[in-house]
């Protein structure tokens, strides 16, 4: 609606400018309208590409990353059998999908503990829609994008 009334006002201003003898007012109004359309197009393309890329979760106002992945990493790292954890979440609309990679203390963990950890993560926040907790042998410092925590 904002774009509609802005372009309507610019067009009306251009017509009024011509009525008052300002021959260039229509061209200025057209430039303002085209700049507004170009701005909308660029921002919409940027948002569409970000959605396709499965961006990291961000705050609703866009001021930074959502603290939920760090919270999940810290909670998983508190488990007594976890030496280190890394969380990688993606945002799709208002829900999160992701993986939690854990390095088990002692090098091994059974499937029941992984299932318990998965359920614990799901209960942390309603936005966590689908998550998988996976045991790994180690976490490379520079591998992938994620949030780390040590237990």
């Amino acid at each position: 609606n904002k774009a509609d009334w802005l372009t309507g006002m610019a067009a009306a201003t251009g017509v009024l400018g011509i009525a008052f003898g300002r021959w260039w007012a229509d061209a200025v109004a057209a430039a303002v309208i085209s700049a507004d359309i170009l701005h909308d197009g660029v921002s919409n393309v940027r948002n569409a590409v970000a959605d396709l890329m499965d961006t990291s979760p961000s705050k609703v106002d866009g001021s930074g990353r959502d603290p939920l992945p760090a919270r999940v990493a810290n909670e998983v790292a508190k488990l007594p059998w976890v030496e280190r954890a890394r969380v990688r979440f993606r945002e799709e609309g208002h829900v999160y999908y992701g993986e939690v990679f854990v390095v088990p203390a002692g090098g091994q963990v059974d499937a029941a503990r992984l299932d318990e950890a998965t359920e614990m993560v799901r209960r942390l926040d309603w936005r966590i829609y689908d998550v998988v907790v996976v045991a790994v042998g180690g976490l490379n410092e520079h591998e992938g994008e994620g949030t780390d925590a040590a237990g």
Side-chain angles (χ1 to χ4, degrees):
N1 285 339
K2 179 183 174 188
D4 287 343
W5 71 261
L6 281 176
T7 55
M9 289 297 293
T13 303
V15 170
L16 286 174
I18 291 174
F20 288 112
R22 305 288 187 230
W23 59 268
W24 45 264
D26 192 39
V28 171
V32 168
I33 292 170
S34 64
D36 183 52
I37 291 170
L38 185 63
H39 176 265
D40 283 346
V42 168
S43 64
N44 288 335
V45 167
R46 182 180 297 133
N47 290 338
V49 169
D51 286 344
L52 289 173
M53 291 176 35
D54 287 336
T55 59
S56 296
S58 59
K59 293 181 181 177
V60 175
D61 63 1
S63 64
R65 289 191 175 193
D66 190 329
L68 181 60
R71 181 176 159 221
V72 170
N74 289 331
E75 291 297 320
V76 171
K78 288 179 187 176
L79 294 172
W81 54 271
V82 175
E83 180 179 312
R84 191 163 166 220
R86 174 175 287 162
V87 174
R88 186 172 56 197
F89 277 171
R90 292 169 305 285
E91 180 178 21
E92 189 173 315
H94 62 280
V95 296
Y96 294 173
Y97 296 83
E99 300 84 24
V100 179
F101 302 103
V102 294
V103 178
Q108 293 185 356
V109 64
D110 61 7
R113 284 189 171 175
L114 293 173
D115 289 342
E116 289 171 11
T118 301
E119 287 306 313
M120 180 206 60
V121 170
R122 283 189 180 136
R123 287 190 305 263
L124 286 177
D125 197 285
W126 67 270
R127 296 173 291 171
I128 300 173
Y129 182 74
D130 191 19
V131 66
V132 177
V133 178
V134 180
V136 294
L139 296 172
N140 185 338
E141 291 298 322
H142 304 290
E143 183 178 295
E145 183 91 16
T147 303
D148 289 339

